[in-house]
Amino acid sequence: MKTSKKILALILVLVMAVAIYGCGSGGNADQASQPAPESSNGGSAAAEQTEEGKEASDPGQEDGMSETMKKIKESGKIIWGTNAAFPPFEMRKGDEVIGVDAEIAAKIAEKLGVELEVVDMDFDGLINALNANQIDFIGAGFTIKPDREEQVLFTDTYFKAVQTIIVQEGNTEITGATDLEGKTIGVQSGTTGDFVAEEYTEDVVRFGNALEAAIDLKNGRLDAVIVDDLPAKLIVEENPGLVLLDEKAADDEEYALAVRKEAVDLKDIINEVLAELKAGGQIDEWVEEYSFLD
Ligand code: ARG
């Protein structure tokens, strides 16, 4: 096919995808086409060209492609699932979702040559949404865990994190992790913070996001909140009266993206994107850039 014909065919597919998608029902999750976030990485175009052969972007080479990859190519879009209440990794800015994972997601779509669509939903529904084909990948400051590994295919890691403990300023009863025994602990439902809290107490209170938990902590309804270190730092900075304990609640964790088990080719492409971003120090730059609460 001549290049001009190819482009024409691609445009046609895109137009059709948009038309088809417009008819679909979005469920109760918040779903929107995501404009590519401003990127400060000037080197990405050059980096992409080096891996061209592996991109599986030739529509004629569908053999051996995962179902997921076929769907992405046919629809001209990839659907990112997240819970956008987790700065600096994802947060809302009007209708848009911004943050480190949003930047990574945009790079993945760019690499595949497709549109990025985002579904902002409950964190504890992400794995099911992925396996029900409602989203194509999870990007949510999502920690690799053995039981999750049974349900999804994780990519390479891109960030280290740890569960931290937030308490009210002046709390003399809880000064370290062991003091959490039997206490009332607030968490975001289904997070690693949730699972860590369960090890300390039966009295775990689950919220839709960590900020809601922090508000209840401030109001004296909780003894502590357990949440990942970077969101915790921002929550404490923005909420006078709350402090972070030096001692961590658990061992270090690592974030990765996740795809369906069958989508090995998508995982490989995401790993290429992550390798480029990590090599360029881009992820740490984005962490800086998005370290704020609205
Ligand atoms: N790292 C934790 C986990 O994987 C919390 C992630 C929460 N992410 C979010 N976007 N709300 O369980």
Side-chain angles (χ1 to χ4, degrees):
M1 232 196 292
K2 279 233 214 66
T3 320
S4 59
K5 269 196 184 166
K6 262 192 189 170
I7 291 171
L8 210 73
L10 195 73
I11 290 172
L12 211 75
V13 168
L14 276 174
V15 167
M16 279 165 64
V18 168
I20 291 165
Y21 178 64
C23 304
S25 80
N28 53 8
D30 209 341
Q31 202 160 7
S33 199
Q34 176 84 345
E38 283 285 310
S39 171
S40 46
N41 179 11
S44 66
E48 257 162 60
Q49 279 164 15
T50 57
E51 294 285 339
E52 232 175 34
K54 290 191 196 165
E55 277 177 41
S57 58
D58 187 337
Q61 288 184 353
E62 291 219 342
D63 287 299
M65 254 196 223
S66 67
E67 288 305 313
T68 295
M69 192 60 86
K70 281 185 205 160
K71 189 191 115 193
I72 291 167
K73 297 283 172 187
E74 274 158 28
S75 64
K77 69 171 189 209
I78 184 165
I79 309 173
W80 163 42
T82 195
N83 167 257
F86 196 71
F89 294 93
E90 43 267 331
M91 62 264 220
R92 312 256 340 181
K93 187 185 166 203
D95 282 345
E96 243 184 283
V97 178
I98 60 167
V100 179
D101 290 331
E103 296 282 0
I104 295 172
K107 288 287 178 201
I108 293 167
E110 191 185 308
K111 180 92 162 177
L112 292 162
V114 296
E115 287 270 302
L116 177 65
E117 195 176 285
V118 59
V119 179
D120 179 13
M121 57 181 294
D122 288 341
F123 181 82
D124 57 13
L126 283 169
I127 292 178
N128 281 346
L130 180 69
N131 287 324
N133 287 307
Q134 288 158 4
I135 57 176
D136 296 319
F137 70 100
I138 298 172
F142 197 47
T143 301
I144 299 187
K145 277 183 87 251
D147 60 319
R148 289 178 180 169
E149 270 172 328
E150 284 169 22
Q151 304 173 73
V152 302
L153 181 61
F154 278 105
T155 66
D156 291 340
T157 62
Y158 64 94
F159 205 79
K160 223 189 217 87
V162 66
Q163 294 305 310
T164 53
I165 305 160
I166 310 177
V167 294
Q168 275 193 352
E169 196 170 21
N171 186 328
T172 49
E173 216 178 305
I174 305 175
T175 56
T178 50
D179 301 328
L180 292 172
E181 293 298 336
K183 293 288 190 303
T184 305
I185 305 177
V187 297
Q188 179 176 27
S189 178
T191 58
T192 42
D194 186 348
F195 307 128
V196 167
E198 279 178 338
E199 286 168 24
Y200 290 104
T201 185
E202 276 171 21
D203 197 4
V204 179
V205 187
R206 297 180 174 83
F207 295 82
N209 64 61
L211 194 61
E212 284 169 22
I215 289 166
D216 262 32
L217 174 63
K218 234 172 139 170
N219 294 336
R221 285 193 282 268
L222 302 170
D223 297 315
V225 168
I226 297 182
V227 60
D228 304 45
D229 51 339
L230 293 195
K233 216 176 111 214
L234 292 174
I235 286 172
V236 164
E237 271 170 24
E238 295 294 318
N239 288 280
L242 296 184
V243 292
L244 262 180
L245 296 189
D246 289 335
E247 194 182 345
K248 309 299 175 228
D251 294 336
D252 283 358
E253 325 183 332
E254 293 216 85
Y255 295 164
L257 305 172
V259 299
R260 274 179 288 283
K261 289 263 188 189
E262 62 97 34
V264 177
D265 46 4
L266 176 58
K267 181 208 71 179
D268 289 342
I269 286 177
I270 294 179
N271 282 345
E272 284 174 26
V273 172
L274 290 176
E276 286 161 16
L277 294 175
K278 287 193 276 187
Q282 185 67 72
I283 292 181
D284 291 329
E285 276 176 37
W286 284 331
V287 167
E288 271 291 294
E289 185 179 337
Y290 291 104
S291 281
F292 60 84
L293 274 189
D294 254 344

